[in-house]
Amino acid sequence: MEKPKDCIMVIFGASGDLTKRKLIPALFELYKQNVLPDKFAILGVSRTEMSDDLFREKMNQAIKQCKEDVKPEILDGFLKKLFYIPFNPNSEVDYEKLRSGIESISKKYDIIKNCIYYLATPPKMFVVIAENLGKKNMQDQSDGYKSLIVEKPFGSDLESARNLNKELRQVFKEEQIYRIDHYLGKETVQNVFVTRFSNGIFEPLWNRNFVSHIEVTAAENLGIENRGGYYDNAGALRDMVQNHLLQLVRLIAMEPPSSLDSNAIRNESLKVLQSLRPIKENDVEKYVIRGQYTASKIRGEDVKGYREEKNVNPESKTETYVALKFYIDNWRWGGVPFYIRTGKQLPTNVTEFAINFKPTPHSIFIKDGDNPGCNQLIIRIQPDEGVLLKFDMKVPGAGYSLQNINLDFHYKQFTAVHIPLAYERLIHDCMIGDSTLYSRGDVVEAAWEFVSPIQKAWQNNPEIKLFGYPAGTWGPENADELIEGKNMGWRYPCRNLTNDGIYCEL
Ligand code: BG6
């Protein structure tokens, strides 16, 4: 990773959960790896009254909570770079305070006024902060670059996302805006590029002639934890599908870009979203299954149902599971169904996509077992990042008995080098001005455009079924009916952790 130029990062919402769970640990890791700018400061701002020292102490605890073997001298060096100002985002006066805070850090530590404004606040504050920064001309780049990182959710539907884009662009230029989707920062998501575009063997097969269908799964074995207030207004469609899963789909399905240039990649991947066949409001029941987890026992322990979770409406109709079937209407993918699903309280924690290849046109072997003859290429995004190829082998002995076996590659065995976590990679990219792994405004809008009829159908037709599924199961059984075809069904990733910390496909 290259060393970025000097900068000051202002974190709005510095007393919040995201700052302590993700941002500060990521910045600390970058510091440890020596890839932060030589001259660098973090200025945390939020409503809570706190001194620099108290902020440092809180961040100290936060780092120790999520990192092991923290060397005290490294941690001390990092904490010295942290500063804090109590700040009310609605008060114009406080922007003056912020400006002088930046000014004095810049003078005292001789840091050029390159500034990254990180909006880690509730979404309703995004526009307020951007507007006020604009009123004080703090987006002006004459004394150093000014970038704005915007956290998710970016809008709650197509209209609000369009408005948000419009309002932000009244102050910041598109090139200054970095819309974060942490899935794009995952190492294995980027490896999709390399797998696809650096290996001659995959490209000829990566199309409707050889692929029967594609599955994308993001399963989580946890519930909503303490996020009832947020989640009950979001649901799985907004929380996972509109952003993370459609981002994965665009990378899997895009045409090769002309170069690794940020716009070349984003232009190509935008075309995928623009080619998604719209699911009409009337067809939503046919193509989309929604579910909500119900109380159950997992390994002998009682698990609450979604409606019993804290801050959730006891009559909530919010979905904690979604499965969708759709098509991409272009030359490469015409007629190939894409199936995506995500859910909370599923049996395992795994994000992967599976390219299912068509079987041979004629089989001379008698096949049995689990989908023999169907080759699958599985790219595991997490955990146990890696690639798995499933193909048939002859079982030793007389006759031709076949078994579908696994050629399994694990990232862990490939390199001992630290794999940067998503937030590390993305924050560093913003510091070096690389927006490739951030979502452009038009890409975000195209994704909302696709999910919009689904949102509307659910809003307008409460009779569309919300299926219950017991926590710890693979979601509503009705989702199986989405995948039609002989010997076809969802892949149920099932792996065992070995003693070397490697998962082994069962
Ligand atoms: C977040 C969602 O964006 O992504 C969460 O709000 C979800 O609900 C999380 O759990 C999943 O991210 P990861 O990196 O743990 O797969």
Side-chain angles (χ1 to χ4, degrees):
M1 277 178 157
E2 80 187 64
K3 262 211 171 221
K5 295 192 189 118
D6 306 1
C7 82
I8 300 175
M9 177 177 256
V10 180
I11 303 181
F12 293 88
S15 59
D17 209 42
L18 183 73
T19 305
K20 70 170 191 255
R21 277 194 315 110
K22 298 285 182 191
L23 307 186
I24 293 291
L27 284 157
F28 172 68
E29 193 59 46
L30 291 171
Y31 177 76
K32 203 170 108 190
Q33 305 288 334
N34 197 21
V35 286
L36 280 185
D38 287 331
K39 292 180 188 164
F40 176 68
I42 298 167
L43 176 56
V45 303
S46 61
R47 289 175 201 260
T48 315
E49 287 289 334
M50 239 190 301
S51 61
D52 285 347
D53 283 345
L54 185 55
F55 182 54
R56 287 177 186 156
E57 181 44 33
K58 286 189 184 238
M59 298 306 116
N60 177 13
Q61 298 302 334
I63 294 170
K64 285 184 180 152
Q65 248 170 36
C66 63
K67 302 251 169 216
E68 288 162 8
D69 301 333
V70 178
K71 293 212 171 84
E73 63 283 10
I74 301 186
L75 184 54
D76 283 353
F78 175 73
L79 293 173
K80 283 195 185 117
K81 297 187 177 293
L82 267 54
F83 303 87
Y84 184 84
I85 300 180
F87 174 86
N88 172 357
N90 291 307
S91 148
E92 282 202 27
V93 182
D94 282 11
Y95 289 82
E96 287 298 343
K97 256 176 31 192
L98 174 58
R99 192 217 296 275
S100 26
I102 296 174
E103 197 75 54
S104 82
I105 293 173
S106 153
K107 276 212 183 98
K108 189 159 170 204
Y109 299 94
D110 186 27
I111 308 178
I112 302 171
K113 272 191 262 158
N114 290 327
C115 288
I116 296 177
Y117 303 120
Y118 199 120
L119 303 187
T121 61
K124 63 176 193 278
M125 298 320 298
F126 294 169
V127 171
V128 175
I129 295 172
E131 264 177 3
N132 278 305
L133 288 172
K135 280 189 197 150
K136 302 286 171 200
N137 208 26
M138 291 171 76
Q139 84 293 6
D140 180 73
Q141 310 209 76
S142 50
D143 55 355
Y145 74 72
K146 304 287 176 298
S147 302
L148 182 77
I149 303 186
V150 189
E151 258 300 329
K152 65 163 283 223
F154 196 91
S156 55
D157 56 15
L158 178 57
E159 203 193 335
S160 58
R162 277 186 180 145
N163 286 338
L164 183 52
N165 269 332
K166 207 166 112 206
E167 307 271 7
L168 296 180
R169 287 187 194 128
Q170 293 198 342
V171 181
F172 290 87
K173 297 195 193 96
E174 177 63 36
E175 313 81 80
Q176 290 175 276
I177 306 175
Y178 291 72
R179 297 170 193 78
I180 210 160
D181 184 314
H182 76 282
Y183 263 56
L184 289 180
K186 291 182 191 277
E187 186 64 30
T188 23
V189 172
Q190 296 146 48
N191 193 42
V192 174
F193 278 134
V194 180
T195 308
R196 285 197 57 197
F197 303 133
S198 182
N199 296 301
I201 55 169
F202 296 122
E203 177 54 23
L205 306 179
W206 210 266
N207 57 51
R208 67 186 186 290
N209 295 325
F210 297 94
V211 173
S212 81
H213 62 285
I214 292 184
E215 291 167 62
V216 183
T217 296
E220 293 183 86
N221 56 3
L222 292 176
I224 51 160
E225 302 194 284
N226 290 323
R227 299 165 71 221
Y230 153 75
Y231 197 89
D232 210 31
N233 289 311
L237 186 72
R238 288 182 191 159
D239 188 49
M240 292 292 288
V241 175
Q242 182 276 337
N243 40 55
H244 307 326
L245 294 194
L246 288 180
Q247 300 287 6
L248 291 184
V249 168
R250 71 186 172 99
L251 298 187
I252 304 161
M254 69 190 269
E255 293 301 316
S258 55
S259 69
L260 273 183
D261 170 72
S262 162
N263 268 329
I265 293 175
R266 299 200 291 185
N267 287 344
E268 280 311 332
S269 65
L270 172 65
K271 288 184 200 157
V272 172
L273 298 182
Q274 291 169 331
S275 311
L276 293 175
R277 186 185 302 170
I279 298 179
K280 297 198 190 92
E281 232 181 289
N282 286 342
D283 288 335
V284 164
E285 241 181 320
K286 194 163 134 207
Y287 289 104
V288 187
I289 298 289
R290 58 174 172 165
Q292 191 185 73
Y293 60 83
T294 54
S296 154
K297 263 195 187 326
I298 302 179
R299 285 179 285 277
E301 299 268 318
D302 285 330
V303 177
K304 280 187 194 158
Y306 175 71
R307 291 180 185 176
E308 283 102 59
E309 299 272 17
K310 200 169 138 210
N311 295 332
V312 167
N313 175 351
E315 290 178 14
S316 173
K317 289 203 78 179
T318 300
E319 76 290 354
T320 59
Y321 173 98
V322 200
L324 279 102
K325 172 182 180 179
F326 60 88
Y327 291 91
I328 299 177
D329 286 335
N330 63 17
W331 279 49
R332 183 183 287 270
W333 297 115
V336 176
F338 280 69
Y339 300 95
I340 62 183
R341 67 179 164 167
T342 181
K344 301 271 185 205
Q345 289 291 22
L346 301 188
T348 185
N349 191 28
V350 65
T351 303
E352 63 166 38
F353 55 87
I355 315 289
N356 294 273
F357 292 94
K358 291 183 174 168
T360 51
H362 168 67
S363 180
I364 52 174
F365 303 107
I366 299 166
K367 299 184 174 182
D368 50 25
D370 180 20
N371 273 349
C374 285
N375 299 121
Q376 285 183 314
L377 179 73
I378 291 127
I379 304 205
R380 282 190 306 266
I381 305 296
Q382 63 185 25
D384 181 31
E385 297 80 356
V387 178
L388 166 72
L389 180 65
K390 285 173 119 30
F391 61 102
D392 280 353
M393 286 285 279
K394 177 181 175 301
V395 178
Y400 284 95
S401 182
L402 308 192
Q403 196 175 323
N404 203 243
I405 56 126
N406 303 322
L407 193 59
D408 207 350
F409 162 76
H410 305 269
Y411 245 77
K412 270 205 186 121
Q413 292 172 329
F414 165 49
T415 170
V417 170
H418 166 75
I419 301 181
L421 296 177
Y423 274 95
E424 295 166 30
R425 173 67 202 263
L426 291 170
I427 291 173
H428 182 268
D429 276 6
C430 178
M431 286 179 183
I432 58 170
D434 183 351
S435 53
T436 314
L437 300 176
Y438 285 85
S439 305
R440 211 168 55 187
D442 49 3
V443 172
V444 176
E445 286 181 22
W448 275 120
E449 209 157 333
F450 178 67
V451 301
S452 184
I454 307 173
Q455 289 180 294
K456 286 194 183 139
W458 288 349
Q459 266 157 26
N460 300 338
N461 308 289
E463 72 280 7
I464 294 183
K465 286 210 179 77
L466 169 73
F467 297 97
Y469 62 94
T473 64
W474 273 105
E477 283 171 8
N478 308 61
D480 293 338
E481 288 157 25
L482 278 180
I483 301 198
E484 326 125 359
K486 201 171 157 239
N487 288 335
M488 273 172 57
W490 292 101
R491 186 183 123 77
Y492 291 104
C494 186
R495 289 160 311 127
N496 255 355
L497 191 59
T498 63
N499 292 340
D500 335 325
I502 298 289
Y503 287 86
C504 180
E505 180 85 7
L506 295 179

